[in-house]
Amino acid sequence: MAEVERVAAELADFRRRVEELRAARALPSTERLSVLDAALFELQHVVDVMLPRLERSLPAERDNGARRAAEEQQLLRALFQRMPFAVVLLDPDAVIRRLNFAGTRLFGMRAGYAAGRPLTASLVPEERAAFRSQVAAVARNEGDRSLVVRLLPPPDGVRRADESLRATMTALRPQGEPGTSVLTVFLTGPETPAADRPGGAGHTEDEDPDRAAEADRTGDTDRPAQSARTGESARTRESARTRESDRTDTPRPGLSEVTRNTELMDLLDDMTMALLESPREPTAVLDRACRVLRGRFADWVTADLVTRGGGPLVRVAVHGPERSGPYAGDEAYGPAADPGGAGGPHPQDTLTAVLAAQLPGDCPVVVEAARAGNATLQVRPEDLGAFGHDAAGAPILARAEVTSLLCVPLQARTGPVRGVLSLLRTGGRRAFSLAEAGAVDRLARHLGRALHP
C-alpha cells in the first residue's frame, strides 16, 4: 500500500512539471532548447523509474485483493458448513446445489451424493408440491417464504417419524452460480445427541465431575491410584494397537457390516434351499421365493412372470408385511375381513388386493426391467408413479409409504428375461444398499435359471 501511495505522489509531481513545460511553449524559440532537454529528462524518468514501480505495485495490490477475497470466501464457506442447523442451497426446481454438515445428518445423505438430487425426495409425498411451489416463488424474487414440512421416516432411526421442520427460504445470487439460488434453513426442536446425554456414548465414570467431587469429599485416596493404573494400562493397550495397525493397512469391518454380511449369507442359503425344495412349476417357484424375501428383507415383494411365447407380464405373487390377529383368506392375494370386526377390509389387505389386481404393464420400472434387463435401485423415489397407480389414481409408492425400491429382472446368465422381482421397503426401515442389491442380483440369476423351461 505504501508503494502505491509513493507512486501516486510521484505521478502528481510529474503532472505539475508537465504543466510547467507546457507553459514554456510561450518562450522565444532560442530559449526552448533547455525546455526540450527537461522534457526528455522527464520522459526518461517516467520510463526508467515510475513505470517499473507502477508495474510492481499494481500486481501486488491485485494479489492482496484476491487474497482478501479468498479469505473472506473461505470464512463464509466455513460458516455455511459449521452452522448448527441444516442449511441447503437449492435451484428454482428444488434440486440441491450445496448441503452443509448438519443437513447431511438431518437428511441422511452425504453432500456429494445429495448434490444434483431433488430435496423433495426426502419429504413426505403430500407436501412435495407445496414445497416446490414455494421454492419457485422465492427464486422469482417474490419475497421470502416459510412453511412447515415433514420428512420421510429416517432409515437409521436418528429422527422421529413425521417430525415437523420449519423451512425458511430466501433468494440469493452467489458468485459463479447460474441464476438465482434459494437458501433454505431447516429448524428442528432442540435435541441432545446421545453422546452428550448422561450415560451416553463417550461418558465414562472417570469423566463424571460429580463422582470426582464425591471422591474428594469422602477422602477416597485409592481412586487416583486406580485411575493412574487404569490410564497406564490404557496407554499400553493403545500402544499395542498402534503397533498392530502399523503392521497392516487392511481396514477391519465393523460389527454392523459383519452382521449384514451374515444376514445376506443366510438369505442366500435359505433361497437356495427353497429353490431346491420347490416344485418346478414357475408360479410355485416365484411364490416360494417371495415368501423367503418377505419380512426379513423387504416389506412388500411382488413377482411378475413372462407368459410363454414372449407374451405380456402376469403378476403371480404379492406378499406384504405380516400383521397380528386372525387372517382369513389366501395369504398372498385374498382381502381378508377386518380382525377388529369393523365391517371393512384391513388397509394392508386392500393394498395387497390392489397390487394383486395391478397389470405389470402399468408399472414403468417393471416394464423397463423386463424390456432392457436392467435392475433398478431407488432410494426415496422422486417419481411416485414409477410403480403405477391404484384405481383412484393415487401412486402406489405414496400409498405404501415406500422409501426404497429394488426391481430386478429374472434371467440366467444367457437367455431372455423370464420375469421381474420387485422389492419395496417402507417406513423407517433402512434403505437397500449396494451390497444388498448385488445379493438380490445373484438371487435373480438363480431364479431365472429355475424358471428356465
Side-chain angles (χ1 to χ4, degrees), residues 364-376 409 411 417 420:
V365 291
V366 174
V367 174
E368 178 65 19
R371 182 188 63 84
N374 296 327
T376 299
Q411 64 180 143
V417 175
V420 177

Side-chain angles (χ1 to χ4, degrees), residues 89-104:
L89 196 65
L90 303 172
D91 70 1
D93 295 327
V95 174
I96 299 175
R97 289 183 176 175
R98 284 182 175 81
L99 182 67
N100 70 341
F101 295 147
T104 60

Side-chain angles (χ1 to χ4, degrees), residues 291-306:
R291 291 175 185 272
V292 173
L293 293 170
R294 186 268 307 272
R296 64 187 296 183
F297 192 77
D299 297 304
W300 291 90
V301 184
T302 66
D304 302 305
L305 183 65
V306 176

Side-chain angles (χ1 to χ4, degrees), residues 79-93:
L79 181 64
F80 172 81
Q81 294 291 349
R82 298 296 179 181
M83 282 285 187
F85 35 79
V87 183
V88 189
L89 196 65
L90 303 172
D91 70 1
D93 295 327

Side-chain angles (χ1 to χ4, degrees), residues 132-208:
R132 286 196 194 94
S133 178
Q134 297 293 344
V135 170
V138 174
R140 294 193 300 265
N141 296 318
E142 295 181 5
D144 300 343
R145 303 295 173 94
S146 181
L147 74 160
V148 176
V149 298
R150 289 181 298 123
L151 300 184
L152 288 173
D156 50 7
V158 298
R159 189 183 67 252
R160 298 188 304 272
D162 294 335
E163 180 182 1
S164 297
L165 305 174
R166 169 66 64 175
T168 304
M169 311 172 192
T170 187
L172 289 179
R173 292 188 64 88
Q175 185 179 2
E177 295 285 347
T180 302
S181 299
V182 179
L183 185 70
T184 307
V185 179
F186 292 88
L187 298 178
T188 61
E191 296 182 1
T192 303
D196 298 336
R197 296 172 186 162
H203 189 85
T204 61
E205 182 179 357
D206 292 338
E207 296 171 354
D208 194 336

